[in-house]
């Protein structure tokens, strides 16, 4: 296989001799930069330094040393640099050195961050319980490493084992411990491990509730490492913030005040985000952001698939932004991003490039991999085996094998979800394809950073979906390349998140008055509510958990709605994978087609109580798409304002959704071939929403007849959901919407956009405060689309439960023009 390398050479492969040149809307070339080295710190363990040198690190990059020095001095530190910049060395060097050489010292009552792991100046938080180390004894420190995924923890363990083997160091005991760890191994970790690698979920469900069994780890805790901390955003970020506060509180109870080191992608204001995550003052966090690692030239292409007459003859994943509509389009439409990426991935693989193709969904990854394999087998039999899918829901051993295969070159390409966006060490990649805007600039640059790692040149191509935001971005490159990355947004005071964590904290150790400040504003009032509801009991000494059941079971950090649903093969009982509980009724309902590494299965039974879907293998020539109904009820109004006849509101709502049926579509032409009605329970989501009303006078001003109103509202709702991520740090799939010509609560036509997370995530509130700018961008995106009656690039939605019917593009423009004409009038709020 002839290998083609270099960004421009690989772009030529994609252009196919100029036949695809008209699909490239912009090419940005990011220049190379040299690396800047620094001497090893004088305090660094000599054996560890020797180990790093054996692995090829003669001297560290300057940012690694800066972060390591700050952490060694006992200050909370966040290192926010690019993918592949070596962030792990910056936290392992001080942490492992401390374990080997820094015996734990007595912690006085006035611990103040003197380099021994005390609280840094300006930091808020619990004070450690005084304790004394007996004369003549030493006690080594311990380290707790936290990351978003089990895969990343396993990858870090492998990296540590390589380092310790290279160093010849045998006195460091390192282990992973998570929900998959059996009881015997868990007991060994509790009794002996110096470094424990795990995730926030394990802390929440097991370690913190059972903290007395983890006394050895907690009392000697010198460092807590929080890896890929930018991933802790939205509701998930709020949950992790509460878990970290509980961890710091229990560590202090056992006599420790650990230094926290956070590793993050490049984000806006990383010190502020890190401080919010930890519950400390930003002045107590050192931010290291000057990336000193080398970078090769990166060629970055923005790509818009061609317009095709009729449906694209390639499967568009049902749970992805390329899902088909219920009725075949009567006008030309752009080819799906997944189909386009499959072609490009095949060409790069034939050219010998090593590539990752990021997709927006699990089925999208399966679809791209299967299509690429078919393309390759038709060109060069046997080459299809060099491509595979990688996604969440696979068994751990399957993921480890795929990671090994892409590292050693057995596989040339992986079609993956964002599961490989995080820091699993896969180096030596030539190219990255991104099927659709990944939601934030932070994620975009994390994914792009996989191309050309270790200072080599690389190619990145962002392939637009038919979506208002994607269309806008590939035609406005300044919105990508000249705009700063976002800050990590989450609300630690979200009462829906905080309340169960206060119960969990009280169950671990009764809450005292001094703890109230640790959990942030609103905690005192929330404790009163929990007492009134009988969840907690108030005594003069504090707040106590009143039940025998573990309080940690009250909440799910990932917001997935409960225990993942296991997909089990009928007859053999083989576990194929898992599906998030919140999406199970839409994806593994009876009759649904489930795809796993290209093999198809049909679901026989879905038991939501037991969290099991039973499937049988069957080759089918169709896919399945679910349909659902959604209603919304306003539970309160936190903020509102009037702009002429338009009333804007923001507040708590209940969103009720029920999957009612599914449709079969023949592949590859997507012609409907049947379906069935489903009898599944309704789900109610308590969240927050922004809404705006369109009374009769406004509808008349927009020249909308009664028959035009539903389609105009519906189209405006879809497009506004697509454009809000331009203004808020979110993804289209973090949002939902409802529009109605007459809502029971407002008594007029109303458009709602809500956060798709329990309790809300702050995105809808952002829309409320930026209402005029948001709707103006929405109006311009619809009007600027070249289609006639509306398409996925403007008003059609990939997740519409009504099959994108009715939609009225022209009516939506007139409606939004009327709304915007009154902005600034009679504004009160």
């Amino acid at each position: 296989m002839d290998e083609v390398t270099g960004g421009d050479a690989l772009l030529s492969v994609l252009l196919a001799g100029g036949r695809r040149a008209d699909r490239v809307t912009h090419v940005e070339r990011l220049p190379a930069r040299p690396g800047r080295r620094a001497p090893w710190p004088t305090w660094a363990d000599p054996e560890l330094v020797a180990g790093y040198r054996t692995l090829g690190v003669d001297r560290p990059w300057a940012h690694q040393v800066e972060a390591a020095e700050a952490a060694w001095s006992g200050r909370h530190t966040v290192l926010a640099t690019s993918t592949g910049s070596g962030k792990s060395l910056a936290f392992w060097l001080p942490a492992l050195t401390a374990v080997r050489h820094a015996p734990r010292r007595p912690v006085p009552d006035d611990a103040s961050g003197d380099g021994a792991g005390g609280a840094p100046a300006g930091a808020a938080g619990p004070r450690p319980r005084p304790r004394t180390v007996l004369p003549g004894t030493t006690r080594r420190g311990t380290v707790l490493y936290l990351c978003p995924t089990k895969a990343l923890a396993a990858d870090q363990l492998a990296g540590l084992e390589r380092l310790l083997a290279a160093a010849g160091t045998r006195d460091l005991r390192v282990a992973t411990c998570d929900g998959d760890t059996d009881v015997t191994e868990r007991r060994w970790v509790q009794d002996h491990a110096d470094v424990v690698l795990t995730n926030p979920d394990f802390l929440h469900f097991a370690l913190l509730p059972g903290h007395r069994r983890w006394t050895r780890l907690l009392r000697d805790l010198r460092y807590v490492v929080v890896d890929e901390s930018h991933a802790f955003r939205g509701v998930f970020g709020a949950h992790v913030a509460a878990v970290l506060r509980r961890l710091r509180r229990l560590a202090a109870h056992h006599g420790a005040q650990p230094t926290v080191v956070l590793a993050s992608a490049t984000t806006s204001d990383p010190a502020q985000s890190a401080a919010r995550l930890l519950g400390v003052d930003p002045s107590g966090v050192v931010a290291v952001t000057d990336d000193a690692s080398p970078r090769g030239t990166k060629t970055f292409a923005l790509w818009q698939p061609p317009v095709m007459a009729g449906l694209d003859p390639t499967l568009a994943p049902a749970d992805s932004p390329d899902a088909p509509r219920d009725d075949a389009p009567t006008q030309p439409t752009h080819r799906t991003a997944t189909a386009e990426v499959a072609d490009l991935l095949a060409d790069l693989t034939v050219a010998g490039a090593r590539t990752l193709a990021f997709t927006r969904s699990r089925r999208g990854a399966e679809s791209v991999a299967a299509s690429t394999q078919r393309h390759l087998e038709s060109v060069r039999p046997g080459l299809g085996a060099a491509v595979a899918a990688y996604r969440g829901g696979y068994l751990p051993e399957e993921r480890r094998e795929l990671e090994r295969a892409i590292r050693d070159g057995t596989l040339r390409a992986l079609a993956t979800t964002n599961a490989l966006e995080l820091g699993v060490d896969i180096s030596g990649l030539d190219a990255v394809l991104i099927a659709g805007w990944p939601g934030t600039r932070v994620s975009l640059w994390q994914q792009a950073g996989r191309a050309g790692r270790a200072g080599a040149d690389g190619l990145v191509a962002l392939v637009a979906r038919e979506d208002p935001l994607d269309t806008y971005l590939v035609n406005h490159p300044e919105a990508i390349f000249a705009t700063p990355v976002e800050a990590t947004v989450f609300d630690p005071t979200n009462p829906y998140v905080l309340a169960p964590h206060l119960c969990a904290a009280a169950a671990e150790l009764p809450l005292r008055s001094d703890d109230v400040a640790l959990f942030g504003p609103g905690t005192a009032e929330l404790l009163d509510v929990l007492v009134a509801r009988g969840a907690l009991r108030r005594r003069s000494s504090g707040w106590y958990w009143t039940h025998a059941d573990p309080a940690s079971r009250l909440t799910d950090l990932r917001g997935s709605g409960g225990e993942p649903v296991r997909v089990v093969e009928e007859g053999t009982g083989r576990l194929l994978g898992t599906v998030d509980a919140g999406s199970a009724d839409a994806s593994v309902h009876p009759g649904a087609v489930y795809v796993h590494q290209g093999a198809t299965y049909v679901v026989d039974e879905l038991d939501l109580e037991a969290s099991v879907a039973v499937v049988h293998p069957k080759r089918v020539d169709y896919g399945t798409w679910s349909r659902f109904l959604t209603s919304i009820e306003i539970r309160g109004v936190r903020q509102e304002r009037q702009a002429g006849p338009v009333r804007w509101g923001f507040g708590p709502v209940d969103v009720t959704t029920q999957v009612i049926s599914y449709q079969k579509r023949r592949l590859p032409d997507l012609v409907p071939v049947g379906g069935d009605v489903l009898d599944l329970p309704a789900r109610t989501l308590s969240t927050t929403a922004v809404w705006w009303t369109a009374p009769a006078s406004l509808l008349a001003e927009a020249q909308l007849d009664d028959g035009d109103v539903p389609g105009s509202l519906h189209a405006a709702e879809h497009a506004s959901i697509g454009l809000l991520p331009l203004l808020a740090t979110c993804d289209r799939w973090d949002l939902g919407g409802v529009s109605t010509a007459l809502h029971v609560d407002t008594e007029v036509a109303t458009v709602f956009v809500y956060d798709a997370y329990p309790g809300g995530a702050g995105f809808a509130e952002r829309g409320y405060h930026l209402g005029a700018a948001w709707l103006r961008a929405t109006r311009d995106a619809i009007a600027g689309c070249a289609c006639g009656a509306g398409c996925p690039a403007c008003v059609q939605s990939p997740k519409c439960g009504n099959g994108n019917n009715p939609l009225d593009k022209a009516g939506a423009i007139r409606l939004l023009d009327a709304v915007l004409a009154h902005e600034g009038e009679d504004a009160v709020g």
Side-chain angles (χ1 to χ4, degrees):
M1 184 184 302
D2 296 330
E3 292 194 12
V4 178
T5 59
D8 285 343
L10 291 172
L11 180 58
S12 296
V13 170
L14 299 189
L15 295 178
R19 293 191 301 276
R20 298 186 184 127
D22 59 339
R23 306 181 193 183
V24 177
T25 61
H26 179 79
V27 175
E28 188 85 7
R29 287 180 175 81
L30 307 176
R33 69 169 180 235
R36 290 182 286 110
R37 302 278 188 181
W40 290 98
T42 56
W43 47 260
D45 177 274
E47 291 184 18
L48 294 175
V49 171
Y52 276 117
R53 283 180 166 147
T54 299
L55 295 175
V57 183
D58 183 52
R59 288 194 304 157
W61 307 120
H63 66 270
Q64 294 173 319
V65 174
E66 182 183 356
E69 291 280 13
W72 183 254
S73 71
R75 301 192 67 188
H76 299 317
T77 304
V78 56
L79 176 59
T81 53
S82 63
T83 307
S85 59
K87 290 187 278 285
S88 60
L89 183 151
F91 52 72
W92 287 131
L93 189 64
L96 298 181
T97 298
V99 171
R100 300 197 72 209
H101 294 286
R104 190 66 167 169
R105 292 181 294 198
V107 183
D109 287 322
D110 60 345
S112 58
D114 60 355
R127 293 199 176 276
R129 186 175 62 184
R131 65 179 179 80
T132 303
V133 178
L134 295 175
T137 67
T138 60
R139 180 177 286 145
R140 302 198 318 178
T142 58
V143 178
L144 187 62
Y145 168 93
L146 304 174
C147 63
T149 66
K150 295 176 184 177
L152 182 51
D155 187 70
Q156 284 289 329
L157 175 64
L160 282 175
E161 289 173 342
R162 289 193 297 272
L163 171 62
L164 298 180
T169 301
R170 299 180 180 178
D171 63 340
L172 275 171
R173 294 160 295 194
V174 182
T176 57
C177 193
D178 52 42
D180 296 332
T181 307
D182 63 38
V183 173
T184 301
E185 187 176 355
R186 189 176 299 187
R187 286 174 180 162
W188 184 92
V189 174
Q190 291 168 349
D191 294 339
H192 301 292
D194 299 311
V195 180
V196 178
L197 302 99
T198 187
N199 51 62
D201 311 76
F202 183 77
L203 254 66
H204 170 63
F205 285 117
L207 193 153
L208 298 181
H211 65 94
R212 290 172 182 84
R213 293 189 295 273
W214 294 87
T215 297
R216 184 194 63 84
L217 176 77
L218 292 171
R219 75 185 177 195
D220 297 318
L221 194 57
R222 294 295 307 276
Y223 287 95
V224 174
V225 176
V226 182
D227 204 358
E228 303 289 357
S229 62
H230 64 279
F232 303 129
R233 66 178 183 89
V235 171
F236 183 37
H239 278 296
V240 174
V243 169
L244 290 174
R245 284 157 173 76
R246 288 163 53 198
L247 171 63
R248 293 178 57 229
R249 175 175 175 262
L250 289 178
H253 170 73
H254 288 282
Q257 191 100 35
T259 299
V260 184
V261 186
L262 304 97
S264 170
T266 302
T267 64
S268 176
D269 202 355
Q272 180 68 45
S273 296
R276 190 185 307 116
L277 195 63
L278 300 180
V280 302
D281 190 277
S283 65
V285 178
V286 176
V288 178
T289 59
D290 185 8
D291 192 339
S293 63
R295 182 180 70 192
T297 301
K298 190 161 293 184
T299 303
F300 202 131
L302 303 184
W303 191 285
Q304 188 155 39
V307 172
M308 304 182 68
L311 283 168
D312 183 7
T314 302
L315 170 62
D319 57 344
S320 83
D322 295 318
R325 301 175 299 284
D326 277 353
D327 53 337
T330 58
Q331 58 183 15
T333 180
H334 284 280
R335 192 179 192 215
T336 65
T338 47
E340 190 79 349
V341 164
D343 279 359
L344 302 182
L345 186 58
D347 288 353
L348 289 172
T349 304
V350 169
R354 298 177 63 189
T355 311
L356 286 184
F358 285 99
T359 67
R360 298 300 310 281
S361 70
R362 294 179 176 188
R363 203 196 292 191
E366 296 280 3
S367 174
V368 168
S371 296
T372 304
Q373 290 164 353
R374 288 195 298 270
H375 295 332
L376 292 173
E377 288 299 323
S378 67
V379 173
R380 191 175 300 177
L383 190 54
V387 178
Y390 182 104
R391 61 173 175 80
Y394 283 175
L395 300 179
E397 54 269 26
E398 290 180 294
R399 294 197 301 268
R400 299 296 84 74
E401 176 59 24
L402 290 167
E403 292 160 14
R404 181 204 59 77
I406 192 69
R407 283 194 196 100
D408 66 19
T410 304
L411 286 174
R412 303 296 300 182
L414 284 177
T416 178
T417 61
N418 62 0
L420 281 181
E421 177 183 315
L422 302 178
V424 175
D425 183 17
I426 298 176
S427 58
L429 295 174
D430 301 300
V432 164
L433 304 174
I434 304 173
W437 177 248
T440 64
R441 294 176 185 87
V442 172
S443 289
L444 177 76
W445 291 112
Q446 277 290 98
Q447 293 178 7
R450 292 294 195 182
R453 292 185 67 160
D457 294 348
L459 169 71
V460 181
L462 171 63
V463 180
R465 298 163 298 157
E466 281 205 308
D467 176 271
L469 184 54
D470 282 41
T471 303
Y472 177 87
L473 288 170
V474 296
N475 289 287
H476 294 81
E478 70 281 358
I480 296 176
F481 301 109
T483 303
V485 292
E486 308 90 346
T488 305
V489 175
F490 56 93
D491 179 11
T493 66
N494 182 334
Y496 288 88
V497 172
L498 185 56
H501 284 284
L502 291 174
C503 292
E508 292 154 6
L509 196 70
L511 285 163
R512 311 301 184 194
S513 297
D514 290 347
D515 296 326
V516 172
L518 172 66
F519 288 97
T523 299
E525 294 81 1
L526 199 51
L527 288 170
D528 290 341
V529 172
L530 293 171
V531 169
R533 293 182 178 178
L536 298 180
R537 181 178 293 117
R538 180 74 163 102
R539 292 288 183 261
S540 59
S541 56
W543 292 265
Y544 292 76
W545 175 239
T546 59
H547 303 279
D549 297 333
S552 59
R553 301 296 173 182
L554 292 174
T555 191
D556 170 15
L557 302 193
R558 310 269 174 172
S560 57
E563 180 184 355
V565 172
R566 292 160 291 158
V567 182
V568 177
E569 186 177 32
E570 181 187 33
T572 67
R574 182 166 66 105
L575 178 64
L576 297 177
T578 60
V579 176
D580 291 341
S583 61
D585 50 2
S587 58
V588 287
H589 54 74
V593 175
Y594 178 79
V595 184
H596 182 86
Q597 282 290 5
T600 55
Y601 300 80
V602 175
V603 180
D604 298 315
E605 179 186 358
L606 171 61
D607 187 335
L608 291 172
E609 290 188 3
S611 298
V612 173
V614 180
V615 305
H616 69 272
K618 184 178 182 181
R619 292 182 62 87
V620 295
D621 62 353
Y622 63 86
T624 52
W625 284 265
S626 59
R627 299 192 65 180
F628 52 90
L629 293 177
T630 303
S631 61
I632 193 165
E633 180 182 1
I634 298 175
R635 307 297 298 174
V637 179
R638 293 181 186 170
Q639 300 178 70
E640 63 179 351
R641 62 183 176 87
Q642 192 80 29
V646 180
R647 178 166 291 276
W648 285 81
F650 168 74
V653 297
D654 283 347
V655 181
T656 300
T657 303
Q658 184 174 23
V659 176
I660 58 171
S661 64
Y662 71 95
Q663 188 174 61
K664 298 178 182 178
R665 287 180 172 273
R666 188 176 63 205
L667 302 177
D669 56 19
L670 302 179
V671 171
V673 292
D676 205 350
V677 175
L678 295 170
D679 182 20
L680 293 171
R683 296 177 180 270
T684 297
L685 171 71
S686 295
T687 184
T688 55
V690 54
W691 60 88
W692 51 271
T693 65
S697 62
L698 186 84
L699 298 176
E701 185 179 336
Q703 300 179 349
L704 295 176
D705 297 330
D706 288 347
D708 301 328
V709 172
S712 301
L713 292 167
H714 199 192
E717 170 217 327
H718 282 181
S720 64
I721 291 173
L723 266 293
L724 184 54
L726 193 64
L727 305 173
T729 308
C730 68
D731 178 82
R732 181 174 196 145
W733 295 76
D734 294 327
L735 304 167
V738 176
S739 57
T740 175
L742 179 63
H743 192 268
V744 65
D745 293 325
T746 63
E747 300 181 341
V748 293
T750 309
V751 173
F752 295 85
V753 174
Y754 60 85
D755 296 335
Y757 295 96
F763 309 138
E765 185 173 13
R766 179 82 166 154
Y768 172 82
H769 290 295
L770 295 174
W774 173 29
L775 291 193
R776 190 167 291 110
T778 300
R779 186 263 177 213
D780 292 346
I782 299 173
C785 185
C787 72
C791 69
C794 58
V795 299
Q796 291 178 348
S797 169
K799 51 191 292 190
C800 179
N802 294 316
N804 285 296
N805 184 49
L807 290 175
D808 185 339
K809 174 181 176 177
I813 295 172
R814 296 199 303 273
L815 174 62
L816 292 171
D817 280 339
V819 172
L820 291 167
H822 294 285
E823 276 299 319
E825 295 180 14
D826 308 319
V828 295

